[in-house]
Amino acid sequence: MGKKNRHFHILKLIESVNVESQQAMLDELSSQNIEISQSTLSKDLKELGIIKIRGKEGRFRFVQTKERELFHVGLMLKKELLDFLTDSILVQNFLVLKTVSGNASGLAKCLDEIGWKEIVGSVAGDDTILVITQNEQDAKSVMSRLDEIISSR
Amino acid sequence: MGKKNRHFHILKLIESVNVESQQAMLDELSSQNIEISQSTLSKDLKELGIIKIRGKEGRFRFVQTKERELFHVGLMLKKELLDFLTDSILVQNFLVLKTVSGNASGLAKCLDEIGWKEIVGSVAGDDTILVITQNEQDAKSVMSRLDEIISSR
DNA sequence: GTGTCTTATTGATTCACATGAATATTGCCT
DNA sequence: AGGCAATATTCATGTGAATCAATAAGACAC
């Protein structure tokens, strides 16, 4: 069972079951045949941006912080969604992004969430995204930021 | 420069420039500051399913085979798109797949292209895919195939 | 503060993957 | 067939990620 899948299960876990400690999580995961050590779990939680808080009645809960969700979105952009980007064209203060068919909307949403300040908004079809910026400078900036991420893959 | 990005450039290359040998490719790539050995290129081409054929006038060309494009789609499903799958629900001969918002269409297209025989067709919205099969048995089969891929990530 | 339960970090290890040099194989021309 | 150019494969190596055991650090009750 891979790491990604384990993360998926951990996220499910903190939403549904009431776990109050990492040990409880380990037990739950174990019952799903996911056997990991406490140190690995601790790192997983860190990666996922999950923290422990004290809810009502003094009970503990684990929740995912917004910052880290965003961090996660950033990773997603880097590792996955950009694989579907096939072309980018600069047109004045617009950036036209071409993607593998069907993936424009997903990539556009991701760009939205990441909230780069240069981007005013975007419209997505099936395989094309129109990214709108205030001026040509900003459009260029977005393009180079994307290029940078892409070439590091 | 990562492998994925290199693959991207190689695919671009065989569409635009007329390269008739791996050596020519290496030179082209080199002019883009991508320096790799011939053995690495050979492996890249294999992964991408690119073969050498003799076109008109006896000139050689490199093209991507359909089989390998499909293989690539399979990898994409495995490595990337399935990350956006958050839930799957079996309803008689339907499978309802929930995804991260915006990614339903991309995943559905991928499933279409992969052409599993159990799948009659699919409809995708923003975050939901309805996969239609002939009967409950087929729907179950699709679900377990997806599960298998997911848990191996 | 002390002790205990919980979580984070460190250090060592393993493992998979990517790569290039060297070599083998293939395919083609004569 | 022989020989050459192009491509594929093998083998050894390096690198980074993932993991766990052990330990440190932190939180909290008393």
Side-chain angles (χ1 to χ4, degrees):
Chain A
M1 173 135 335
K3 189 178 179 183
K4 281 182 180 176
N5 193 38
R6 191 175 70 229
H7 281 190
F8 177 75
H9 281 279
I10 290 173
L11 285 171
K12 283 268 176 193
L13 205 57
I14 66 170
E15 282 172 13
S16 52
V17 193
N18 73 322
V19 283
E20 292 200 55
S21 70
Q22 290 188 6
Q23 187 54 54
M25 272 198 212
L26 288 175
D27 294 343
E28 275 293 332
L29 290 172
S30 175
S31 77
Q32 297 173 37
N33 287 313
I34 302 176
E35 312 278 0
I36 53 170
S37 68
Q38 179 266 327
S39 70
T40 299
L41 177 58
S42 172
K43 285 167 198 159
D44 281 352
L45 295 180
K46 188 175 185 182
E47 270 186 68
L48 292 168
I50 294 172
I51 56 170
K52 189 179 185 176
I53 60 172
R54 188 190 292 277
K56 0 184 177 293
E57 317 154 24
R59 294 182 97 65
F60 288 111
R61 275 189 311 143
F62 288 90
V63 295
Q64 192 172 29
T65 61
K66 206 64 193 167
E67 292 78 23
R68 274 309 174 116
E69 255 184 69
L70 269 190
F71 177 73
H72 220 229
V73 171
L75 276 187
M76 204 179 267
L77 180 70
K78 173 164 181 173
K79 291 200 180 164
E80 286 134 28
L81 280 167
L82 283 184
D83 289 340
F84 306 130
L85 184 64
T86 58
D87 218 341
S88 63
I89 306 137
L90 186 71
V91 187
Q92 297 172 44
N93 65 321
F94 298 109
L95 206 56
V96 180
L97 304 179
K98 301 291 292 182
T99 75
V100 172
S101 172
N103 291 99
S105 170
L107 179 52
K109 280 249 168 73
C110 193
L111 283 173
D112 278 353
E113 284 183 34
I114 238 178
W116 286 348
K117 62 185 184 317
E118 302 99 321
I119 298 181
V120 176
S122 64
V123 192
D126 176 75
D127 62 1
T128 305
I129 305 168
L130 185 65
V131 178
I132 303 149
T133 61
Q134 289 280 2
N135 51 55
E136 191 164 346
Q137 204 61 11
D138 282 357
K140 275 184 189 161
S141 162
V142 170
M143 189 143 93
S144 65
R145 287 178 83 162
L146 285 176
D147 281 346
E148 196 180 336
I149 298 177
I150 287 176
S151 66
S152 74
R153 287 176 311 167
Chain B
M1 172 133 335
K3 188 177 177 184
K4 280 183 182 176
N5 194 35
R6 193 175 69 228
H7 281 192
F8 179 74
H9 281 278
I10 290 174
L11 286 172
K12 284 268 178 196
L13 204 56
I14 66 169
E15 282 171 12
S16 51
V17 194
N18 73 322
V19 282
E20 292 200 55
S21 69
Q22 289 188 6
Q23 186 55 54
M25 273 198 211
L26 289 175
D27 294 343
E28 275 293 332
L29 290 171
S30 176
S31 77
Q32 298 175 36
N33 287 315
I34 303 175
E35 312 278 358
I36 53 170
S37 66
Q38 178 266 326
S39 72
T40 300
L41 177 58
S42 172
K43 285 164 197 160
D44 281 352
L45 295 181
K46 186 175 183 180
E47 269 186 69
L48 292 168
I50 292 173
I51 57 170
K52 189 179 185 178
I53 60 171
R54 188 190 293 276
K56 357 182 179 292
E57 316 155 27
R59 294 181 97 65
F60 287 111
R61 276 188 311 143
F62 287 90
V63 295
Q64 192 173 31
T65 61
K66 205 61 193 168
E67 292 77 24
R68 275 306 176 121
E69 253 186 69
L70 269 189
F71 177 72
H72 218 231
V73 170
L75 276 186
M76 203 180 264
L77 180 71
K78 172 163 182 173
K79 292 200 178 163
E80 288 134 28
L81 280 167
L82 283 183
D83 290 339
F84 305 129
L85 184 63
T86 57
D87 216 343
S88 62
I89 307 137
L90 186 71
V91 187
Q92 298 172 42
N93 64 320
F94 298 111
L95 206 56
V96 180
L97 304 179
K98 302 290 291 180
T99 74
V100 172
S101 172
N103 291 98
S105 169
L107 180 52
K109 280 250 167 71
C110 191
L111 283 174
D112 278 352
E113 284 183 35
I114 237 179
W116 287 350
K117 62 186 185 314
E118 302 99 320
I119 299 182
V120 176
S122 64
V123 192
D126 177 77
D127 63 0
T128 306
I129 305 168
L130 185 65
V131 178
I132 303 149
T133 61
Q134 286 283 0
N135 51 57
E136 191 163 347
Q137 203 62 10
D138 281 354
K140 275 184 188 160
S141 162
V142 171
M143 188 142 95
S144 64
R145 286 179 83 162
L146 286 176
D147 281 345
E148 195 180 336
I149 297 176
I150 287 174
S151 65
S152 74
R153 286 176 314 168

